[in-house]
Amino acid sequence: MNNAAVHLSHTPVRRILIIKLRHHGDMLLTTPVINTLHQHYPAAEIDVLLYQETRDMLAAHPAVTTIFAIDRQWKKLGTRKHLQKEAGLIRAIRGRHYDLVVNLADQWRSALITRLSGAPVRVGFDFPKRRHPLWRACHTLLASTEGHNRLHTVEQNLSILTPLGLRPPEARVTMSYTADDHAAVTALLAATQVSAPYIVVQPTSRWFFKCWSEEKMAETLRALLADGHRIVLTSGPDAKEQQMIARIQALCPQPGLVSLAGQLTLRQLAALIDHARLFIGVDSVPMHMAAALGTPCLALFGPSKLTFWRPWQVNGRVIWAGDYGPLPDPDAIDTRTDERYLNLIPTDAVITAARELLS
């Protein structure tokens, strides 16, 4: 056992910091690491450093004590004020006196924060692109990334705990929200005269190449509405997503379809999905939330890396466009394209799968 791991085995672990500086879905998929550390060190306070806009993903997690956030708008404040913000963050982190830092991120910024934390045990990944003496000096333990190209993101994240000998890992992804979040959703549903059971459909993503066409989604919704189901449409606040929702609504004149698009926080969306009979969506954060919450889920996938990003431990079905025709290499896609790669998926396949999950 490495000297750093020996140190942890002989010293009480009082405070742990986890660092991950990525997008919303990435933050949700770090929860198995949080849950595993809480399982092995139940008395320890677990803090997280993340980007400010992703705070909602972990803000209600019962095992998280403090969230430190980097605001990417700091860089617009000018060099002096930006450096003051960064220095204040470092002081706050050092003031927590961590026993263990787990750096899941691959940025140099995260490595330097890890080193400056002052923690005696600092674990990071041995990324091939970071084979540099400074990266190694920032960490006391490095976890291998060998085989990561064959592993789901959850499994990749959990592998960082291997040098610490924490077995077995708690591999369950968890999405948490508060009673206030649920109450807010209940009030919105009452205002739109929707009651359970209902289906939640999130047809949008910030990247439209991950979306099905409005026409195909509307055809599917019309079939489910004709079956007597109530459907709640959701989306992010972005104007393009809102326009997509409006087009789908225009193609579905039947009663029973309402929209809460752009009206919910991520935690409120979790509460809505948690009480749904079925979730239908594309490769986006709400799909991962539905899988984490155990809500029956029908996920439509296109040219994303299915091995990395399929819904983890999903209760439901994944329909992959690649089963119906050729897809481009995920690494070669122009993310600004208007191409709808999911249109290879026939509506009949989705309607049939939805009816099976609802039966």
Side-chain angles (χ1 to χ4, degrees), residues 201-205 210-212 217 221 233-235 244-245 248 280-282:
V201 178
Q202 172 116 359
T204 65
S205 164
K210 294 184 176 184
C211 299
W212 219 18
M217 184 60 76
L221 300 188
L233 288 172
T234 62
S235 82
M244 184 176 178
I245 293 293
I248 292 170
I280 301 174
V282 297

PDB file of all heavy atoms in Angstrom, residues 201-205 210-212 217 221 233-235 244-245 248 280-282:
ATOM      1  N   VAL A 201     -41.691  14.608 -20.871  1.00  0.00           N
ATOM      2  CA  VAL A 201     -40.943  14.500 -22.131  1.00  0.00           C
ATOM      3  C   VAL A 201     -40.029  15.712 -22.264  1.00  0.00           C
ATOM      4  O   VAL A 201     -40.491  16.852 -22.236  1.00  0.00           O
ATOM      5  CB  VAL A 201     -41.888  14.429 -23.345  1.00  0.00           C
ATOM      6  CG1 VAL A 201     -41.076  14.364 -24.647  1.00  0.00           C
ATOM      7  CG2 VAL A 201     -42.818  13.221 -23.240  1.00  0.00           C
ATOM      8  N   GLN A 202     -38.733  15.456 -22.367  1.00  0.00           N
ATOM      9  CA  GLN A 202     -37.757  16.524 -22.625  1.00  0.00           C
ATOM     10  C   GLN A 202     -37.134  16.242 -23.989  1.00  0.00           C
ATOM     11  O   GLN A 202     -36.209  15.452 -24.119  1.00  0.00           O
ATOM     12  CB  GLN A 202     -36.676  16.575 -21.537  1.00  0.00           C
ATOM     13  CG  GLN A 202     -35.543  17.540 -21.880  1.00  0.00           C
ATOM     14  CD  GLN A 202     -35.411  18.708 -20.925  1.00  0.00           C
ATOM     15  OE1 GLN A 202     -36.172  18.847 -19.983  1.00  0.00           O
ATOM     16  NE2 GLN A 202     -34.431  19.562 -21.177  1.00  0.00           N
ATOM     17  N   PRO A 203     -37.654  16.894 -25.038  1.00  0.00           N
ATOM     18  CA  PRO A 203     -37.168  16.601 -26.394  1.00  0.00           C
ATOM     19  C   PRO A 203     -35.929  17.390 -26.780  1.00  0.00           C
ATOM     20  O   PRO A 203     -35.376  17.166 -27.855  1.00  0.00           O
ATOM     21  CB  PRO A 203     -38.354  17.022 -27.264  1.00  0.00           C
ATOM     22  CG  PRO A 203     -39.048  18.084 -26.480  1.00  0.00           C
ATOM     23  CD  PRO A 203     -38.787  17.812 -25.022  1.00  0.00           C
ATOM     24  N   THR A 204     -35.478  18.313 -25.922  1.00  0.00           N
ATOM     25  CA  THR A 204     -34.408  19.237 -26.297  1.00  0.00           C
ATOM     26  C   THR A 204     -33.082  18.910 -25.628  1.00  0.00           C
ATOM     27  O   THR A 204     -33.016  18.253 -24.599  1.00  0.00           O
ATOM     28  CB  THR A 204     -34.786  20.681 -25.922  1.00  0.00           C
ATOM     29  OG1 THR A 204     -34.876  20.785 -24.489  1.00  0.00           O
ATOM     30  CG2 THR A 204     -36.112  21.094 -26.531  1.00  0.00           C
ATOM     31  N   SER A 205     -32.049  19.416 -26.247  1.00  0.00           N
ATOM     32  CA  SER A 205     -30.699  19.430 -25.697  1.00  0.00           C
ATOM     33  C   SER A 205     -30.083  20.738 -26.144  1.00  0.00           C
ATOM     34  O   SER A 205     -30.525  21.340 -27.130  1.00  0.00           O
ATOM     35  CB  SER A 205     -29.881  18.249 -26.225  1.00  0.00           C
ATOM     36  OG  SER A 205     -28.490  18.445 -26.004  1.00  0.00           O
ATOM     37  N   LYS A 210     -28.295  16.174 -31.071  1.00  0.00           N
ATOM     38  CA  LYS A 210     -28.743  15.081 -30.199  1.00  0.00           C
ATOM     39  C   LYS A 210     -30.267  14.950 -30.183  1.00  0.00           C
ATOM     40  O   LYS A 210     -30.794  14.110 -29.448  1.00  0.00           O
ATOM     41  CB  LYS A 210     -28.262  15.319 -28.770  1.00  0.00           C
ATOM     42  CG  LYS A 210     -26.762  15.259 -28.581  1.00  0.00           C
ATOM     43  CD  LYS A 210     -26.411  15.411 -27.104  1.00  0.00           C
ATOM     44  CE  LYS A 210     -24.925  15.249 -26.848  1.00  0.00           C
ATOM     45  NZ  LYS A 210     -24.620  15.304 -25.396  1.00  0.00           N
ATOM     46  N   CYS A 211     -30.966  15.780 -30.954  1.00  0.00           N
ATOM     47  CA  CYS A 211     -32.428  15.823 -30.877  1.00  0.00           C
ATOM     48  C   CYS A 211     -33.098  15.112 -32.047  1.00  0.00           C
ATOM     49  O   CYS A 211     -32.565  15.055 -33.153  1.00  0.00           O
ATOM     50  CB  CYS A 211     -32.908  17.276 -30.841  1.00  0.00           C
ATOM     51  SG  CYS A 211     -32.312  18.217 -29.425  1.00  0.00           S
ATOM     52  N   TRP A 212     -34.281  14.605 -31.780  1.00  0.00           N
ATOM     53  CA  TRP A 212     -35.189  14.084 -32.794  1.00  0.00           C
ATOM     54  C   TRP A 212     -35.889  15.274 -33.426  1.00  0.00           C
ATOM     55  O   TRP A 212     -35.969  16.350 -32.814  1.00  0.00           O
ATOM     56  CB  TRP A 212     -36.209  13.207 -32.083  1.00  0.00           C
ATOM     57  CG  TRP A 212     -36.634  11.943 -32.762  1.00  0.00           C
ATOM     58  CD1 TRP A 212     -36.008  11.278 -33.767  1.00  0.00           C
ATOM     59  CD2 TRP A 212     -37.801  11.176 -32.441  1.00  0.00           C
ATOM     60  NE1 TRP A 212     -36.703  10.142 -34.089  1.00  0.00           N
ATOM     61  CE2 TRP A 212     -37.805  10.061 -33.293  1.00  0.00           C
ATOM     62  CE3 TRP A 212     -38.834  11.320 -31.511  1.00  0.00           C
ATOM     63  CZ2 TRP A 212     -38.806   9.096 -33.256  1.00  0.00           C
ATOM     64  CZ3 TRP A 212     -39.829  10.369 -31.462  1.00  0.00           C
ATOM     65  CH2 TRP A 212     -39.821   9.264 -32.327  1.00  0.00           C
ATOM     66  N   MET A 217     -41.252  13.715 -32.895  1.00  0.00           N
ATOM     67  CA  MET A 217     -41.635  13.774 -31.490  1.00  0.00           C
ATOM     68  C   MET A 217     -43.131  14.045 -31.353  1.00  0.00           C
ATOM     69  O   MET A 217     -43.823  13.417 -30.531  1.00  0.00           O
ATOM     70  CB  MET A 217     -40.829  14.856 -30.776  1.00  0.00           C
ATOM     71  CG  MET A 217     -41.103  14.931 -29.274  1.00  0.00           C
ATOM     72  SD  MET A 217     -40.725  13.395 -28.375  1.00  0.00           S
ATOM     73  CE  MET A 217     -38.920  13.472 -28.294  1.00  0.00           C
ATOM     74  N   LEU A 221     -46.053  11.871 -29.472  1.00  0.00           N
ATOM     75  CA  LEU A 221     -46.885  12.428 -28.407  1.00  0.00           C
ATOM     76  C   LEU A 221     -48.369  12.319 -28.750  1.00  0.00           C
ATOM     77  O   LEU A 221     -49.195  12.045 -27.864  1.00  0.00           O
ATOM     78  CB  LEU A 221     -46.498  13.880 -28.144  1.00  0.00           C
ATOM     79  CG  LEU A 221     -45.048  14.143 -27.696  1.00  0.00           C
ATOM     80  CD1 LEU A 221     -44.874  15.595 -27.284  1.00  0.00           C
ATOM     81  CD2 LEU A 221     -44.634  13.209 -26.581  1.00  0.00           C
ATOM     82  N   LEU A 233     -44.283  18.707 -21.053  1.00  0.00           N
ATOM     83  CA  LEU A 233     -43.072  19.009 -21.811  1.00  0.00           C
ATOM     84  C   LEU A 233     -42.139  19.875 -20.960  1.00  0.00           C
ATOM     85  O   LEU A 233     -42.591  20.802 -20.278  1.00  0.00           O
ATOM     86  CB  LEU A 233     -43.410  19.768 -23.092  1.00  0.00           C
ATOM     87  CG  LEU A 233     -44.084  18.983 -24.220  1.00  0.00           C
ATOM     88  CD1 LEU A 233     -44.526  19.936 -25.314  1.00  0.00           C
ATOM     89  CD2 LEU A 233     -43.153  17.926 -24.783  1.00  0.00           C
ATOM     90  N   THR A 234     -40.855  19.592 -21.016  1.00  0.00           N
ATOM     91  CA  THR A 234     -39.863  20.387 -20.310  1.00  0.00           C
ATOM     92  C   THR A 234     -38.701  20.700 -21.243  1.00  0.00           C
ATOM     93  O   THR A 234     -38.489  20.027 -22.259  1.00  0.00           O
ATOM     94  CB  THR A 234     -39.336  19.680 -19.050  1.00  0.00           C
ATOM     95  OG1 THR A 234     -38.683  18.452 -19.439  1.00  0.00           O
ATOM     96  CG2 THR A 234     -40.458  19.367 -18.075  1.00  0.00           C
ATOM     97  N   SER A 235     -37.951  21.730 -20.884  1.00  0.00           N
ATOM     98  CA  SER A 235     -36.737  22.091 -21.628  1.00  0.00           C
ATOM     99  C   SER A 235     -35.940  23.061 -20.790  1.00  0.00           C
ATOM    100  O   SER A 235     -36.413  23.541 -19.747  1.00  0.00           O
ATOM    101  CB  SER A 235     -37.087  22.738 -22.978  1.00  0.00           C
ATOM    102  OG  SER A 235     -37.389  24.107 -22.815  1.00  0.00           O
ATOM    103  N   MET A 244     -38.342  25.164 -30.047  1.00  0.00           N
ATOM    104  CA  MET A 244     -38.583  23.767 -30.402  1.00  0.00           C
ATOM    105  C   MET A 244     -39.823  23.236 -29.683  1.00  0.00           C
ATOM    106  O   MET A 244     -40.662  22.550 -30.282  1.00  0.00           O
ATOM    107  CB  MET A 244     -37.350  22.930 -30.039  1.00  0.00           C
ATOM    108  CG  MET A 244     -37.457  21.479 -30.458  1.00  0.00           C
ATOM    109  SD  MET A 244     -35.920  20.577 -30.096  1.00  0.00           S
ATOM    110  CE  MET A 244     -36.392  18.932 -30.625  1.00  0.00           C
ATOM    111  N   ILE A 245     -39.950  23.572 -28.405  1.00  0.00           N
ATOM    112  CA  ILE A 245     -41.131  23.157 -27.642  1.00  0.00           C
ATOM    113  C   ILE A 245     -42.405  23.747 -28.256  1.00  0.00           C
ATOM    114  O   ILE A 245     -43.425  23.059 -28.396  1.00  0.00           O
ATOM    115  CB  ILE A 245     -40.996  23.592 -26.168  1.00  0.00           C
ATOM    116  CG1 ILE A 245     -39.860  22.828 -25.472  1.00  0.00           C
ATOM    117  CG2 ILE A 245     -42.312  23.397 -25.423  1.00  0.00           C
ATOM    118  CD1 ILE A 245     -40.106  21.347 -25.290  1.00  0.00           C
ATOM    119  N   ILE A 248     -43.447  21.826 -31.320  1.00  0.00           N
ATOM    120  CA  ILE A 248     -44.041  20.532 -30.967  1.00  0.00           C
ATOM    121  C   ILE A 248     -45.472  20.730 -30.467  1.00  0.00           C
ATOM    122  O   ILE A 248     -46.391  19.993 -30.855  1.00  0.00           O
ATOM    123  CB  ILE A 248     -43.178  19.815 -29.907  1.00  0.00           C
ATOM    124  CG1 ILE A 248     -41.843  19.389 -30.516  1.00  0.00           C
ATOM    125  CG2 ILE A 248     -43.921  18.599 -29.340  1.00  0.00           C
ATOM    126  CD1 ILE A 248     -40.837  18.881 -29.504  1.00  0.00           C
ATOM    127  N   ILE A 280     -39.443  10.408 -21.184  1.00  0.00           N
ATOM    128  CA  ILE A 280     -38.944  10.220 -22.552  1.00  0.00           C
ATOM    129  C   ILE A 280     -38.024  11.392 -22.855  1.00  0.00           C
ATOM    130  O   ILE A 280     -38.403  12.555 -22.674  1.00  0.00           O
ATOM    131  CB  ILE A 280     -40.081  10.179 -23.590  1.00  0.00           C
ATOM    132  CG1 ILE A 280     -41.064   9.042 -23.281  1.00  0.00           C
ATOM    133  CG2 ILE A 280     -39.518  10.020 -25.005  1.00  0.00           C
ATOM    134  CD1 ILE A 280     -42.301   9.032 -24.173  1.00  0.00           C
ATOM    135  N   GLY A 281     -36.816  11.111 -23.313  1.00  0.00           N
ATOM    136  CA  GLY A 281     -35.893  12.205 -23.595  1.00  0.00           C
ATOM    137  C   GLY A 281     -34.706  11.766 -24.417  1.00  0.00           C
ATOM    138  O   GLY A 281     -34.519  10.575 -24.712  1.00  0.00           O
ATOM    139  N   VAL A 282     -33.899  12.753 -24.770  1.00  0.00           N
ATOM    140  CA  VAL A 282     -32.695  12.518 -25.553  1.00  0.00           C
ATOM    141  C   VAL A 282     -31.484  12.533 -24.629  1.00  0.00           C
ATOM    142  O   VAL A 282     -31.618  12.657 -23.414  1.00  0.00           O
ATOM    143  CB  VAL A 282     -32.570  13.585 -26.671  1.00  0.00           C
ATOM    144  CG1 VAL A 282     -33.746  13.462 -27.631  1.00  0.00           C
ATOM    145  CG2 VAL A 282     -32.502  15.002 -26.094  1.00  0.00           C
TER     146      VAL A 282
END
